[in-house]
Amino acid sequence: MPHTLDRLQDQYGELLALCDAIESIADSIAGRVDRELFLSVAEKISSLRLAQTSELPRWDETGLWRCSPDIAEALRSAAMGRSAFSWQAIESMLRTLLEGLRLHVAKEQAMIEAMKRSKRPN
């Protein structure tokens, strides 16, 4: 079990790095477009597979999970200079996804820490 929890922690580190990249794009969205960053982040967003637990709202229920392919496509289109969305709309999508991802990671990490504490001898 400890190795599984360690792998989960590593995966959450990767998600937090993705959050940092999303935030970087959102912070500079109306400025210079970093095409490679947009495409890289779009690919990572497309490949998200988040665990659903009974402690968390389901991604389908919040709409964030269903919207991630649309957000990825919006980034791809923006990178190519042909987005159907305004910069403000893309920024809003990114910030909504960012908030959901960070909330997901925080709740999952809290559960992992609780599991680790429950396994320690008293």
Side-chain angles (χ1 to χ4, degrees):
M1 183 77 135
H3 298 295
T4 302
L5 294 179
D6 291 340
R7 279 196 306 261
L8 278 174
Q9 288 288 50
D10 290 343
Q11 289 173 341
Y12 292 131
E14 292 172 17
L15 274 177
L16 290 173
L18 174 59
C19 287
D20 290 344
I22 292 170
E23 186 171 37
S24 174
I25 291 172
D27 286 347
S28 64
I29 198 79
R32 186 178 148 268
V33 173
D34 183 336
R35 185 174 181 267
E36 289 182 31
L37 180 61
F38 277 38
L39 294 174
S40 171
V41 168
E43 182 62 32
K44 290 175 185 172
I45 290 171
S46 292
S47 67
L48 286 177
R49 298 289 179 263
L50 301 175
Q52 295 179 2
T53 69
S54 59
E55 299 295 320
L56 293 171
R58 292 185 49 161
W59 283 85
D60 286 342
E61 292 171 359
T62 64
L64 291 172
W65 177 245
R66 283 192 316 249
C67 292
S68 63
D70 296 333
I71 296 168
E73 184 52 36
L75 280 177
R76 283 187 200 98
S77 296
M80 302 305 198
R82 55 178 171 79
S83 179
F85 298 101
S86 69
W87 289 116
Q88 185 177 12
I90 295 171
E91 178 185 5
S92 179
M93 286 187 250
L94 290 172
R95 293 206 187 275
T96 300
L97 179 62
L98 179 62
E99 182 179 335
L101 284 173
R102 285 188 171 151
L103 179 62
H104 173 79
V105 170
K107 287 184 176 183
E108 289 282 316
Q109 286 181 324
M111 287 190 318
I112 288 170
E113 288 306 312
M115 291 170 67
K116 286 181 177 180
R117 282 192 304 274
S118 72
K119 299 291 181 191
R120 292 185 192 136
N122 292 330

